[in-house]
Amino acid sequence: MIPQSVGLAAGLATSILIARGLGPKGMGNYALILSVSGLATALSDLGIGQTAIRFASRAAATGDTAGQLAILRWAFRLRMLLAGTISTTVFIFAPILAGTAWKEATLSPLVRLSLLTGLFTAAASIPTVYFQSLKRFKMNAAVMVGQTLLTAAGIVLIAVLKSWSLELIITVSVVATGLGAIVFMILIPRESFFIRQEFRRQIGKTFINLLRAPRTRGDSSASLDSTSANSFVLFMLVSTVTVALTMRSDVWLMGYFLDKSQIGLYSVATRFTLPLVVVLNALNTALWPRASSITSHAKISELIGKTVRLSGMVTFGGLLYSILVPLAMPLLFGSPYRSGIFVAQILCFRYCLSILICPIGVIGYSFGMVKVFWWINIIQLIAVVIIDILLLPRIGAVGAGLALIANELINLILVSTIIWRRLVDIKDIEPLMKTSKIN
């Protein structure tokens, strides 16, 4: 939770400084630029980071250091390729986007400059994967906090010097992100990015071979999940895109069915979910490498028991938060937002469900559930869209919150049922496997 909390605090502080320094119009232009660079950064991942953490953790758990580093090199190649491809595409179309769509042709060079942050972020993701795969969460937190503070320090320096300009802010962000990437890449073995002998072996091979993930000792049919990294990342890509569409469909549909004031209420209501999002992301960060290194029914049952108890206690606290804290909405944002209290409570309750379900979903990957999650995600997307279409015209933004609660309940029912069946199957099979080995 520490790096995400620091990120929230630093992001809030720097956004206040930038908003005051640039003014409304400048802040609007800045938001447009960030929307492009942020999307480019997100599309350069598409599940690669989670795949890398999973298979690097599995290799580390079996003492396969060479395999762990090979997975990191593969993730580095793939992320840099995606980041480079997406950045090049945006670089080409930046003048059309800025000049035609935004009617601000002067933003084109700044959009292009901001794309460097995506490349640096892609490179800097590898140290995070490295430390998470070794379950070195303190170092992982230090790396993420350091990256956040470097960028924040640049903005604070501009504020101190009172040298506010959009060009300088973008430049400082790019430089800070680049320096952060270099510093944190130095902290991990060079073999995480590049091995000369491997590069020589790859010369002459087809382009596809360069993108195929290496096999590690943990990639065997003896493990609970024998899905290869190549298959895993493809399934994760489908799931990531589907979830991204699901999480944005509410606002898109509200834009069609509701007036802008309703969308404003909904947007403010989502601010109250941020502490719960921090907790949810922290649980995911802690669980991914632990669940990835599981090799037996006994260990996975133990992990499920521990994490479900933990998430249950956190959920209880989250429920109290969901009821009480949104009541402060008119005090914080003004009386016009009073009608958004119930929406905020519903959205917070939705994240309480996410926290409760989180351990089941993450541990499900150890059962090869990545082959199942994609179609569950598609069912969720269809359900959310249908519920939004039916409820938004009738009950407004509340309908979007109820659609997201339905989204979580569908996930809970389907995933829990499948995992329970697989746990029973594995419990029946393991004694037979042990007897076979003895014979």
Side-chain angles (χ1 to χ4, degrees), residues 333-399:
F333 293 94
S335 56
Y337 293 95
R338 185 179 300 277
S339 59
I341 291 176
F342 186 50
V343 178
Q345 290 172 328
I346 290 176
L347 292 175
C348 289
F349 178 69
R350 173 260 169 140
Y351 274 101
C352 290
L353 286 176
S354 294
I355 292 169
L356 185 64
I357 298 166
C358 172
I360 301 172
V362 174
I363 293 171
Y365 286 102
S366 295
F367 293 96
M369 290 283 288
V370 70
K371 301 174 183 177
V372 175
F373 281 145
W374 69 271
W375 61 259
I376 292 178
N377 295 146
I378 291 176
I379 292 174
Q380 290 174 285
L381 172 60
I382 295 171
V384 166
V385 170
I386 291 174
I387 293 172
D388 277 333
I389 291 173
L390 292 176
L391 296 185
L392 285 176
R394 292 171 173 81
I395 58 177
V398 173

Side-chain angles (χ1 to χ4, degrees), residues 189-387:
R190 186 184 66 180
E191 292 81 3
S192 302
F193 303 97
F194 175 80
I195 289 182
R196 184 177 300 175
Q197 296 85 344
E198 182 182 62
F199 181 76
R200 288 174 178 172
R201 288 197 303 269
Q202 298 290 358
I203 294 177
K205 290 188 177 181
T206 63
F207 179 74
I208 295 299
N209 283 338
L210 294 174
L211 303 181
R212 285 194 177 125
R215 294 189 64 84
T216 63
R217 279 187 224 156
D219 301 341
S220 65
S221 58
S223 62
L224 289 172
D225 173 26
S226 58
T227 309
S228 71
N230 293 299
S231 298
F232 194 92
V233 75
L234 288 175
F235 285 120
M236 283 298 296
L237 188 151
V238 176
S239 287
T240 302
V241 172
T242 305
V243 170
L245 291 173
T246 303
M247 294 301 101
R248 288 162 177 79
S249 63
D250 51 0
V251 175
W252 293 342
L253 289 170
M254 279 193 286
Y256 179 80
F257 287 108
L258 306 181
D259 59 65
K260 299 301 182 290
S261 62
Q262 286 279 306
I263 300 173
L265 286 172
Y266 189 83
S267 177
V268 169
T270 60
R271 299 295 187 271
F272 288 89
T273 68
L274 293 179
L276 299 174
V277 174
V278 168
V279 175
L280 178 62
N281 290 338
L283 278 172
N284 270 304
T285 300
L287 277 175
W288 259 100
R290 298 181 192 278
S292 300
S293 58
I294 288 175
T295 56
S296 70
H297 171 270
K299 289 182 179 179
I300 203 165
S301 296
E302 180 184 2
L303 184 62
I304 288 176
K306 286 182 178 179
T307 53
V308 167
R309 285 194 296 272
L310 171 63
S311 62
M313 290 187 291
V314 174
T315 299
F316 178 75
L319 288 173
L320 295 178
Y321 172 93
S322 302
I323 296 170
L324 300 176
V325 176
L327 296 175
M329 181 181 284
L331 179 65
L332 295 175
F333 293 94
S335 56
Y337 293 95
R338 185 179 300 277
S339 59
I341 291 176
F342 186 50
V343 178
Q345 290 172 328
I346 290 176
L347 292 175
C348 289
F349 178 69
R350 173 260 169 140
Y351 274 101
C352 290
L353 286 176
S354 294
I355 292 169
L356 185 64
I357 298 166
C358 172
I360 301 172
V362 174
I363 293 171
Y365 286 102
S366 295
F367 293 96
M369 290 283 288
V370 70
K371 301 174 183 177
V372 175
F373 281 145
W374 69 271
W375 61 259
I376 292 178
N377 295 146
I378 291 176
I379 292 174
Q380 290 174 285
L381 172 60
I382 295 171
V384 166
V385 170
I386 291 174
I387 293 172

